Amino acid sequence: MSNLIALQNDSANIVQDEWTLINLPAAQVEVRKQAGKIVLFKLTGEQSVTEEQIKNTVIPEKGKIIVPLRVFIARNQELAQKLAEGEVGVWLATHELLEDLTTNIADINSLPIIAIFVERFADGRIFSLGTLLRKRYHFKNELRAFGDVLRDQLFFLKRSGFNSFLIRHDRSALDAIAGLKDFSTPYQGAIDDPRPAFKRYNRGT
Amino acid sequence: MYKYDEIDQQIVDERVAQYRDQVRRYLAGELSEDEFRPLRLQNGLYIQRHAPMLRIAVPYGMLSSKQLRKLGDIAKKYDKGYGHFSTRQNLQLNWPKLEDTPDILAELATVQMHAIQTSGNCIRNITTDQFVGIAPDEVIDPRAIAEIMRQWSTFHPEFALLPRKFKIAVSGTAEDRAIVQAHDIGMEFYRDNNQQIAVRVWVGGGLGRTPILGTVIREHLEWQHALTYCEAIIRVYNLHGRRDNAYKARIKILVKALGIDEFRKQVEAEWLHLKDSPNTIAETELARVAQHFEPMPYETLPAHDSNFDAMVASNPAFSAWVKRNVHPHKTAGYRAVTLSLKPHGKAPGDITSEQMHVVADLAAQYSFGELRASHEQNLILADVKLSDLFAVWEKARAAGLATPNIGLLTDIICCPGGDFCSLANAKSIPIAEAIQLQFDNLDYLHDIGDLELNISGCMNACGHHHVGHIGILGVDKDGSEWYQVTIGGKQGNDASIGSVIGPAFSAEEMPGVVQKLIDVYIEARTEEERFIDTVRRIGVAPFKQHVYADKNQAKEGAAA
Ligand code: HEM
Ligand code: SF4
């Protein structure tokens, strides 16, 4: 069964995924440690993809695909035709820079989907990235979260502009869907409703 | 104080339901330990040495009698009949059961309280000066903005999982009492040349492992922009703060790494986009919230009360209490009272359920039903009539809440330390108790005068030892407990971080070490000088020399 939740007009449903996620081929990664502990997060802006990986990424001829940001940038010629046909989306990880996407594309809305990979639940950069894509860069199409995506982030992801959520494979999307409704009247303005409570309601004077 | 409307109430009620379900999923094995941790932390629940520890939010330190009674009842029903006021103006329960915590939150919700964002990597409870609204040196009462900021930061979606915890302090007085310079963001309210409310914004302060005082990022911010400017700061931090190393993850490290000029540039660039966005505070909203903080319905009273003066003159114990525990008030005929949670020989900040009821009754009878918690871990009745002070004193004294030691050496700020906290290197409460017993003579204590002594059980600095005039830090040497001593730290407008005097001491040595520091001060002080002034004038060397004199002699003796 699909583990993808899509939001449409405020109703959330589990839907089939029409997109194929293109992964980078595995690379030799050395384990980084600090004070004896394994480093779990990559720094913002850190280069984590090798030329080798970009070159060796297999791009299928047919079907709708979501390609890694670095591949999208480096191999844009190859992807141009598919992009024009609306069959290319882009994904980036939370440590990658949005500017690398926005400066390498004429019209961000030529992408039917942007997906953001969150490696660890506790990485809240994803919320700022979603907010910026919607507000600063006016992205209007599907914005998806995938990776360590669990029920208790969904409410925040929704408020930060995400409208599709690929729940981690070992968890139930059916259960997670409830998380979208955790709170009915949040205080502050965000992407889903820019007005704070004091502008949405008459709270008296 | 602020009273919930349906929107506020609905949010805390929904939080209880959400948390109840999270606990259920955890106990059913549907959430792993790692996944449950950030969820329970955002609800103030730590897992500690003996049991979970639940931290209950007291927004900017304000409590009603009704709320304190409820806290007392909760401590009795779900814990061992006492609670602990922390240096962040919150209340901690040390022994609740995990399974009970959803019920505790449900009970709190009935009195408009919660444990939201009292820990975890989010915007924490916002703190301020305990004399807010009544201090004679107050320029602006920042509570309305603090409440607006509380609402804005509650479940802020973009800032739900920051690199590290984020603490904001607000203050509106001439003399800072909220330590704005030791917070991730400090908002200092003042009136600008046009008599408008403005904010001086400090950023990048914090104690912990790397103590750093904040820097001014903006001299002048119009109050309407308080939220959007904080959003700009926190967005830059959320994106660029380090997440690879928890010890380098606070905003202070980012500000230091970039330099304040570059950091400011990035924040201002971000703010250009956010300025005037819908989270800009509307006049009407400020007015709505400010109504909850209007001055109390004070009586018109003379500045003096002859009965009071007579009692002070004739009763030395009362007079000592008035001298230390009673503070000036904006309004003639009124005073603020600090109820000491620092009786000698007890854990600083601890209060029993019975005492909570006594304090709640005192507040109801003598102080408009409200009280405050201070970051020095005491409770304050802010609006007591001069003519009522004697009655308040007698009742407080009967309940063990009138130790006349506010601002004195035994008004120790102390973290829970090794008795409760699993991060501790060393115990801190027994050290506090031993020092209090060493200085149990009140006349002597008053003669020593103003002195802040702070104790932390490890470098996380929950006891603010860096800014104590005398700071004590628990350190671990080969698995045993030792204490490092600093002097010359200070909070306030001229804040400073203390200097280490030398090698660490054992627990048994500590009361003697403090005694020696005091001896040097008494010897060297001029008429007007407080301990901190003497340290600043003569430096660390004379203190060091005296404290280590015996040790050095012993060494020489052994060598000879
Ligand atoms: C017993 C459970 C506690 C644990 C596990 C704990 C843990 C910590 C940790 C890890 C830090 C350092 C965070 C950092 O610098 O990034 C910290 C800081 C702090 N804690 Fe606690 N703490 C506990 C109890 C308390 C209590 C009871 C108080 C109040 C009396 C308190 C007040 C503070 C304060 C004020 C800081 C801030 C220092 C700063 O500005 O960096 N903590 N705590
Ligand atoms: S300073 Fe250390 S020992 Fe004390 S409460 Fe904080 S973490 Fe625990």
Side-chain angles (χ1 to χ4, degrees):
Chain A
M1 191 178 143
S2 168
N3 236 10
L4 181 67
I5 301 174
L7 259 187
Q8 273 144 353
N9 310 322
D10 234 22
S11 99
N13 296 295
I14 295 174
V15 297
Q16 282 309 316
D17 192 355
E18 5 175 272
W19 292 91
T20 304
L21 192 86
I22 306 301
N23 264 313
L24 294 156
Q28 207 65 14
V29 270
E30 51 181 311
V31 178
R32 268 201 302 162
K33 285 193 179 178
Q34 227 149 37
K37 287 196 182 155
I38 296 173
V39 173
L40 295 169
F41 293 92
K42 295 191 184 75
L43 293 175
T44 303
E46 182 175 328
Q47 282 305 338
S48 53
V49 180
T50 63
E51 295 299 322
E52 197 70 10
Q53 283 177 296
I54 294 175
K55 198 175 76 201
N56 293 338
T57 301
V58 182
I59 300 179
E61 295 266 314
K62 286 208 175 344
K64 296 173 146 188
I65 54 172
I66 310 178
V67 300
L69 174 62
R70 305 255 47 114
V71 172
F72 179 77
I73 296 170
R75 296 169 61 179
N76 61 347
Q77 298 289 356
E78 250 173 285
L79 289 162
Q81 177 68 24
K82 275 183 95 62
L83 181 65
E85 288 161 7
E87 295 202 326
V88 176
V90 171
W91 72 263
L92 59 148
T94 48
H95 67 279
E96 295 188 279
L97 299 176
L98 277 186
E99 296 71 43
D100 287 345
L101 172 59
T102 55
T103 54
N104 281 292
I105 191 161
D107 172 13
I108 198 161
N109 285 311
S110 62
L111 296 170
I113 181 170
I114 296 175
I116 299 186
F117 173 61
V118 59
E119 196 171 344
R120 292 176 58 80
F121 179 93
D123 187 350
R125 284 178 289 198
I126 190 167
F127 307 127
S128 285
L129 295 174
T131 302
L132 285 169
L133 274 171
R134 291 297 190 205
K135 220 169 138 211
R136 177 94 28 101
Y137 301 112
H138 309 289
F139 181 62
K140 298 193 174 63
N141 303 324
E142 182 173 344
L143 181 56
R144 177 182 295 185
F146 73 110
D148 201 11
V149 177
L150 306 176
R151 167 175 172 166
D152 297 284
Q153 291 134 300
L154 291 197
F155 181 74
F156 299 127
L157 285 168
K158 176 181 88 168
R159 298 218 67 209
S160 303
F162 288 83
N163 56 1
S164 84
F165 318 89
L166 185 59
I167 301 299
R168 203 174 78 192
H169 61 85
D170 60 337
R171 291 300 156 87
S172 146
L174 208 56
D175 172 59
I177 232 169
L180 288 165
K181 294 215 179 307
D182 278 344
F183 297 96
S184 33
T185 52
Y187 282 125
Q188 60 296 94
I191 298 299
D192 59 344
D193 190 336
R195 296 164 306 160
F198 63 81
K199 292 187 180 157
R200 261 178 288 140
Y201 303 95
N202 179 0
R203 299 188 76 180
T205 44
Chain B
M1 63 189 261
Y2 187 73
K3 299 209 176 43
Y4 283 10
D5 65 7
E6 307 96 80
I7 292 174
D8 302 297
Q9 190 63 45
Q10 184 170 26
I11 285 177
V12 295
D13 290 345
E14 286 174 340
R15 171 56 143 196
V16 174
Q18 180 197 39
Y19 178 73
R20 195 180 286 286
D21 193 61
Q22 288 166 347
V23 171
R24 180 196 62 74
R25 283 183 277 145
Y26 170 68
L27 293 174
E30 293 167 30
L31 280 172
S32 72
E33 199 67 60
D34 275 354
E35 289 159 7
F36 185 52
R37 186 181 310 112
L39 304 177
R40 66 172 161 74
L41 281 180
Q42 304 226 332
N43 249 310
L45 189 73
Y46 283 88
I47 305 288
Q48 284 305 316
R49 291 239 149 134
H50 308 287
M53 177 200 88
L54 183 67
R55 192 179 286 162
I56 297 164
V58 183
Y60 36 92
M62 300 283 301
L63 278 168
S64 68
S65 290
K66 186 174 172 198
Q67 290 174 326
L68 188 61
R69 285 194 190 106
K70 177 57 94 177
L71 292 172
D73 294 344
I74 287 175
K76 176 129 268 171
K77 182 164 166 196
Y78 299 100
D79 205 308
K80 296 189 173 175
Y82 71 96
H84 173 81
F85 277 98
S86 83
T87 51
R88 305 210 66 257
Q89 302 180 310
N90 291 322
L91 182 86
Q92 291 190 177
L93 297 177
N94 285 322
W95 319 83
K97 287 206 211 50
L98 171 66
E99 304 81 70
D100 285 340
T101 51
D103 292 336
I104 297 177
L105 294 186
E107 293 214 21
L108 288 173
T110 65
V111 292
Q112 314 195 341
M113 294 190 82
H114 57 75
I116 294 166
Q117 291 173 201
T118 52
S119 56
N121 296 335
C122 49
I123 303 172
R124 300 288 191 86
N125 184 30
I126 293 166
T127 51
T128 190
D129 167 17
Q130 67 268 31
F131 299 116
V132 67
I134 60 122
D137 73 334
E138 186 170 88
V139 185
I140 284 153
D141 179 348
R143 283 176 298 177
I145 301 256
E147 173 58 29
I148 290 170
M149 293 187 80
R150 179 192 75 81
Q151 299 191 9
W152 157 82
S153 63
T154 298
F155 309 131
H156 195 300
E158 188 178 344
F159 308 133
L161 293 164
L162 295 170
R164 202 73 183 82
K165 60 179 168 183
F166 204 90
K167 298 178 178 177
I168 302 179
V170 298
S171 143
T173 52
E175 178 62 30
D176 168 52
R177 283 180 292 270
I179 349 185
V180 292
Q181 295 183 43
H183 287 77
D184 296 280
I185 291 181
M187 309 280 275
E188 187 186 341
F189 288 82
Y190 65 98
R191 280 202 189 273
D192 66 14
N193 293 337
N194 302 321
Q195 291 308 305
Q196 298 299 309
I197 302 176
V199 196
R200 182 174 296 115
V201 187
W202 296 77
V203 73
L207 300 174
R209 202 169 277 254
T210 324
I212 296 180
L213 295 177
T215 323
V216 174
I217 180 165
R218 200 172 226 285
E219 261 312 318
H220 183 270
L221 179 75
E222 294 165 316
W223 63 268
Q224 293 88 335
H225 303 302
L227 304 182
T228 56
Y229 199 77
C230 285
E231 282 178 339
I233 293 176
I234 304 174
R235 178 176 292 168
V236 170
Y237 169 59
N238 190 35
L239 286 170
H240 299 288
R242 287 181 62 171
R243 291 170 189 269
D244 60 327
N245 181 340
Y247 298 128
K248 297 200 157 63
R250 295 285 292 272
I251 194 174
K252 61 192 172 189
I253 306 289
L254 179 67
V255 174
K256 278 278 173 250
L258 292 176
I260 184 68
D261 294 328
E262 173 60 24
F263 183 74
R264 178 185 296 117
K265 202 178 96 196
Q266 296 190 12
V267 168
E268 293 281 332
E270 207 50 58
W271 191 49
L272 275 185
H273 296 278
L274 289 163
K275 187 167 185 259
D276 299 321
S277 64
N279 282 338
T280 305
I281 306 170
E283 294 267 357
T284 49
E285 175 66 357
L286 182 66
R288 175 185 81 87
V289 178
Q291 286 178 88
H292 295 275
F293 301 103
E294 282 193 345
M296 294 296 180
Y298 297 116
E299 292 169 34
T300 311
L301 296 173
H304 292 279
D305 181 277
S306 49
N307 280 337
F308 169 74
D309 294 341
M311 288 320 269
V312 169
S314 65
N315 186 329
F318 178 58
S319 155
W321 181 76
V322 169
K323 193 165 157 206
R324 297 309 320 187
N325 299 34
V326 172
H327 319 276
H329 196 290
K330 268 182 187 172
T331 312
Y334 284 86
R335 294 289 184 274
V337 166
T338 300
L339 299 169
S340 173
L341 301 185
K342 315 287 180 67
H344 295 172
K346 295 249 173 65
D350 275 8
I351 180 169
T352 65
S353 293
E354 290 74 21
Q355 286 177 317
M356 288 190 232
H357 276 272
V358 171
V359 176
D361 292 345
L362 284 174
Q365 192 174 352
Y366 299 108
S367 197
F368 301 103
E370 290 186 8
L371 57 132
R372 295 106 182 273
S374 72
H375 80 85
E376 288 94 354
Q377 307 178 280
N378 292 309
L379 291 176
I380 281 88
L381 303 176
D383 304 287
V384 181
K385 280 193 272 190
L386 265 181
S387 54
D388 287 337
L389 283 172
F390 192 78
V392 169
W393 174 66
E394 285 192 307
K395 291 181 187 175
R397 196 156 82 135
L401 294 162
T403 314
N405 63 346
I406 301 309
L408 297 179
L409 193 154
T410 56
D411 185 8
I412 296 174
I413 296 182
C414 179
C415 81
D419 294 304
F420 299 103
C421 173
S422 45
L423 303 177
N425 287 326
K427 295 192 196 62
S428 49
I429 294 171
I431 302 296
E433 293 171 350
I435 294 171
Q436 286 172 333
L437 294 175
Q438 169 88 14
F439 291 91
D440 200 24
N441 179 328
L442 279 175
D443 291 335
Y444 183 42
L445 207 52
H446 282 251
D447 177 48
I448 298 168
D450 288 334
L451 198 153
E452 294 178 14
L453 194 152
N454 298 47
I455 310 178
S456 304
C458 77
M459 55 287 195
N460 288 319
C462 302
H464 292 169
H465 64 277
H466 302 291
V467 290
H469 303 168
I470 297 177
I472 299 176
L473 165 68
V475 291
D476 173 283
K477 270 205 290 195
D478 308 323
S480 60
E481 302 187 357
W482 292 81
Y483 299 88
Q484 190 183 70
V485 175
T486 51
I487 58 174
K490 189 174 180 307
Q491 49 172 324
N493 294 1
D494 57 344
S496 58
I497 306 263
S499 328
V500 178
I501 63 167
F505 304 95
S506 69
E508 299 74 53
E509 290 174 292
M510 281 315 298
V513 169
V514 176
Q515 183 67 60
K516 289 205 172 101
L517 293 171
I518 298 304
D519 292 345
V520 175
Y521 158 65
I522 301 269
E523 185 70 30
R525 71 178 168 188
T526 64
E527 189 111 6
E528 300 283 283
E529 265 179 356
R530 298 165 300 172
F531 178 85
I532 179 71
D533 304 318
T534 307
V535 175
R536 284 184 172 182
R537 179 170 56 82
I538 68 176
V540 175
F543 291 92
K544 182 172 175 153
Q545 206 171 15
H546 187 57
V547 169
Y548 291 98
D550 297 346
K551 289 206 163 189
N552 292 341
Q553 257 166 22
K555 249 189 242 151
E556 277 161 26

